[in-house]
Amino acid sequence: MKALLCSRLGGPDDLAIATLPDPVPGPGEAVVRVRLAALNFFDTLIIAGRYQVKPELPFSPGGEACGVVEALGEGATGVAVGDRVIVHAKFGTCAERIAVPAAGLARVPDTVTDEQAAGLTITYGTTLHALRDRARLRPGETLAVLGASGGVGLAAVELGALMGARVIACASSAEKLALAKSHGAHDLVDYGRDNLREALRTLSGGRGIDVVYDPIGGDYAEPALRSLAWKGRYLVIGFAAGEIPRIPLNLALVKGIDIQGVHWGVFVEREPEAHRANQVQLLDWVAQGRLTAKVDSVHPLEAYVDALGILQRREAMGKVLLRP
């Protein structure tokens, strides 16, 4: 089979297409023929050796995909050969086939497309866990989303609106904000032009924001944190800006706020039943047309440099997909 392979740590130019033996399912495993693999910002960090997941070299990047079950190992249950499924793995989906535990697969309803399913599990899974399980977002609350046009940011805009929150989308250009508005944002902040803290203060009528969803970090973190209302919740999703901010903890004290880490991968491992319920909920919402699972672009596997470059430059407006 063809696979995108990382044999040395670095950037997209250090990757290569390789031919590898087809995987054979072990006990409890399924081999899935990958139709579409989804890329995430963390893939650019994994191939550089700058992410908490550090696979042994060589490895294939990619943490999620949509495909069809081709073979089952002994004792594998929950899916059948021919089922169209969502795949979630720490890495390895940027290949024509992958062997994964069958118990972790989710069947895709007929009304959900491959493109929607391929990029649903991590971005929307992370976000539903963040908003529902961690922040306990309630209808009528105010949710500020940083990086609102990227993969997880756009998911937060959609899910926040679906859950009944007033969503304030924050991004760095008018084009990105227009995309967020078309996916449910009620108010917009261009932090490339406006003062983020003052804009959030004005939009909240001076009361403050109930929940901040932050996949960016860097210079935007502290002003967003300062914009929180009494007993507000600050969701730490990631650090796409490249810098991990140093937060003055006295802010948590005087505002009575919660700073909540969102590590979806560990949640999946420690609370598999809760994760499975979230997956079913997301697929149902997409099937009902209540979530779009927006796709930025689809690329052939050979165009991996261009695809990863979109994520590195933070140009993605939705999911970036590879077709092995």
Side-chain angles (χ1 to χ4, degrees):
M1 67 172 185
K2 286 192 305 182
L4 180 59
L5 210 60
C6 178
S7 298
R8 64 172 185 242
L9 299 178
D13 289 325
D14 294 298
L15 303 177
I17 302 292
T19 300
L20 302 176
D22 287 341
V24 176
E29 289 187 333
V31 169
V32 177
R33 172 66 169 89
V34 175
R35 288 183 173 178
L36 286 170
L39 296 173
N40 292 278
F41 180 77
F42 67 74
D43 288 304
T44 69
L45 303 178
I46 287 177
I47 64 174
R50 294 168 39 224
Y51 194 61
Q52 56 259 36
V53 175
K54 299 184 186 300
E56 290 186 14
L57 296 170
F59 68 92
S60 179
E64 55 185 340
C66 178
V68 176
V69 176
E70 282 193 342
L72 295 171
E74 182 181 355
T77 60
V79 293
V81 171
D83 283 350
R84 192 164 60 107
V85 294
I86 286 177
V87 177
H88 165 243
K90 292 181 179 179
F91 54 90
T93 65
C94 291
E96 290 184 319
R97 291 174 178 82
I98 183 171
V100 291
L105 298 173
R107 288 194 191 91
V108 180
D110 292 341
T111 52
V112 177
T113 67
D114 290 348
E115 288 79 6
Q116 290 173 312
L120 187 68
T121 187
I122 293 178
T123 51
Y124 284 85
T126 295
T127 303
L128 184 57
H129 170 54
L131 297 181
R132 185 160 71 176
D133 303 328
R134 299 293 285 136
R136 308 287 183 185
L137 182 68
R138 297 183 293 272
E141 288 193 311
T142 303
L143 168 68
V145 180
L146 307 189
S149 70
V152 288
L154 202 59
V157 169
E158 282 200 89
L159 285 170
L162 180 56
M163 295 169 69
R166 176 190 171 198
V167 179
I168 302 175
C170 308
S172 59
S173 74
E175 182 184 14
K176 292 179 178 181
L177 289 171
L179 177 66
K181 187 171 182 63
S182 71
H183 284 74
H186 301 87
D187 298 292
L188 309 174
V189 175
D190 184 342
Y191 50 54
R193 184 191 64 189
D194 302 326
N195 181 290
L196 177 61
R197 183 184 177 192
E198 290 305 315
L200 293 177
R201 182 193 299 274
T202 299
L203 287 171
S204 68
R207 175 187 171 277
I209 304 299
D210 294 303
V211 178
V212 169
Y213 182 98
D214 182 11
I216 303 299
D219 293 337
Y220 299 117
E222 187 171 330
L225 186 81
R226 289 181 181 274
S227 75
L228 282 171
W230 171 249
K231 291 189 176 180
R233 289 89 78 201
Y234 187 95
L235 294 165
V236 182
I237 309 298
F239 311 104
E243 294 183 18
I244 298 176
R246 297 179 180 274
I247 298 297
L249 284 180
N250 64 303
L251 294 176
L253 174 67
V254 298
K255 284 177 166 285
I257 60 176
D258 294 333
I259 299 173
Q260 301 179 332
V262 180
H263 194 162
W264 179 77
V266 174
F267 162 71
V268 170
E269 293 175 358
R270 289 178 176 264
E271 302 178 49
E273 292 303 319
H275 160 64
R276 192 170 294 110
N278 283 353
Q279 288 283 92
V280 170
Q281 177 68 86
L282 290 169
L283 284 164
D284 283 348
W285 279 335
V286 176
Q288 295 164 16
R290 302 181 71 189
L291 286 181
T292 64
K294 163 74 175 173
V295 172
D296 176 278
S297 52
V298 181
H299 307 260
L301 188 65
E302 292 75 13
Y304 59 86
V305 173
D306 293 338
L308 287 163
I310 292 170
L311 294 168
Q312 283 185 318
R313 296 187 298 272
R314 291 171 55 193
E315 295 173 352
M317 293 192 287
K319 295 299 298 190
V320 176
L321 306 178
L322 286 178
R323 192 183 302 278

